[in-house]
Amino acid sequence: MADTTQRVLSLLNLLQSRPVWTGAELAERLGVTTRSVRRDVERLRELGYPVRAEHGTGGGYQLGAGKALPPLLLDDEEAVAVAVSLRLAAGGTVAGLGEAAVRSLAKLDQVLPARLRSEVKGVIEATVSLDSPVTAVDADVLVALARAIRTPERATFDYTKADGDRRERRVEPYRLVAAGRRWYLMAWDLDRDDWRTFRLDRMAAARGTGWRFKQRDAPDAVEYVRASITQAPYQFVAKVRIAAPAEEVAARVPSTMAVVESDGSGHSVLTAGADNLDYIAYHVVRLGWPITVLDPPELRDAMRVLGERFTAAGG
């Protein structure tokens, strides 16, 4: 049975290495008869691999594309190349990544041998990026949290706050959210007994504890993180009514800067946080649409002062 399994894996490796093989070529490479090749091809088909067989001149066996991607058989060099690429993408040094990179990395990391794991780590440590499109995070942190979310199991990590205070946090992880230039974790904080948002670039030593938990009723992860990063950390939360449809305003305002909601009849409400109201006044005015300040009243004063500055500058 072990010999048969090894032969089937070898057959799969050959089919992945080039487009078409004749039965005789496969038999010679595997050291078996063409009849054995046909039986092994049937075994691959039973496992979900779409192996096509074409008769006649130019025909042979070909691994086709199926509805679902079957497992890939990678040699050492290929596995290292894929792992390095995924870690660079997940860590923020490759543009156009997504949550898919993190999921793929978590799956690959589970089956990567220790000898290859150390090789991947060496390549990553020797690699720098001239221009990173996002704030870099430790790929090991992403992998650990992705696993804990999938299980699900409680996790711990060391977290450094904006003021430099570093403490261990214990959470029930719920979702990873990529927003703008950063990664965030939405989790139930076990010590504060409430939902919290954590920046992954401030984390270290993330790990699952092995303690499973029953998932709680949770708010929408995207909306919760959006509100957390655009409003919660700031001294002021401003609301402004804009005479423009929400979709047009949202197209010009980064989702990490403000929340834009429809207000009916071609209007929208923008909600944003800041420690300096002059900052909000400037960015809202530069959008170019008529606005009405809803809250706080101090924002009206900031708008008036900004207008006086523009008038004085125009001479």
Side-chain angles (χ1 to χ4, degrees), residues 18 58 69-70 79 126 142 147 174 199 219 261 265-266 274 276 278 304:
R18 84 180 198 199
L69 179 67
L142 278 167
R147 285 180 178 174
Y174 181 70
R199 279 174 46 174
E261 301 170 294
S265 66
N276 189 328
D278 291 344
R304 185 181 65 255

Side-chain angles (χ1 to χ4, degrees), residues 136-205:
V137 300
D138 186 344
D140 288 335
V141 170
L142 278 167
V143 171
L145 293 175
R147 285 180 178 174
I149 290 171
R150 188 173 67 249
T151 301
E153 64 178 302
R154 291 179 176 179
T156 64
F157 49 83
D158 296 335
Y159 194 72
T160 303
K161 297 172 63 176
D163 60 6
D165 180 41
R166 182 185 176 103
R167 296 184 182 180
E168 183 182 74
R169 307 299 288 267
R170 303 182 310 118
V171 302
E172 293 177 354
Y174 181 70
R175 287 290 185 275
L176 289 169
V177 178
R181 297 175 58 85
R182 294 192 174 100
W183 280 97
Y184 297 89
L185 169 70
M186 174 183 161
W188 181 265
D189 191 314
L190 293 168
D191 296 315
R192 289 156 180 77
D193 200 30
D194 200 1
W195 293 102
R196 288 290 189 271
T197 298
F198 302 93
R199 279 174 46 174
L200 265 67
D201 58 298
R202 292 179 176 171
M203 288 186 191

Side-chain angles (χ1 to χ4, degrees), residues 234-236 273-283 299 302 309:
Y234 301 106
Q235 179 181 356
F236 300 103
D275 292 326
N276 189 328
L277 290 175
D278 291 344
Y279 176 84
I280 294 181
Y282 169 76
H283 283 282
L299 182 56
R309 291 175 181 170

Side-chain angles (χ1 to χ4, degrees), residues 94-138:
V94 176
L97 83 156
E99 287 82 355
V102 179
R103 294 196 304 268
S104 302
L105 181 57
K107 292 177 182 178
L108 181 60
D109 196 69
Q110 281 185 307
V111 298
L112 204 63
R115 57 186 172 80
L116 298 185
R117 200 185 303 268
S118 62
E119 188 172 343
V120 170
K121 184 178 180 181
V123 174
I124 295 297
E125 290 176 347
T127 303
V128 294
S129 176
L130 181 64
D131 184 21
S132 175
V134 298
T135 301
V137 300
D138 186 344

Side-chain angles (χ1 to χ4, degrees), residues 230-231 234-241 257-259 269-274 276-277 280-281 284 293-297 299 303:
T230 60
Q231 302 167 37
Y234 301 106
Q235 179 181 356
F236 300 103
V237 176
K239 287 183 177 291
V240 178
R241 192 167 190 258
M257 301 294 293
V259 175
V269 172
L270 180 148
T271 305
N276 189 328
L277 290 175
I280 294 181
V284 170
V293 174
L294 302 179
D295 196 58
L299 182 56
M303 292 282 190

Side-chain angles (χ1 to χ4, degrees), residues 3 9 13 38 45 57 59 67-68 76 96 102 126 138 144 147 149 162 169 194 213 233-234 238 255 271 292:
D3 290 341
L9 289 174
N13 192 27
R38 289 195 295 271
R45 288 170 175 163
T57 303
K67 293 182 179 179
D76 286 3
V102 179
D138 186 344
R147 285 180 178 174
I149 290 171
R169 307 299 288 267
D194 200 1
F213 65 90
Y234 301 106
S255 60
T271 305
T292 302

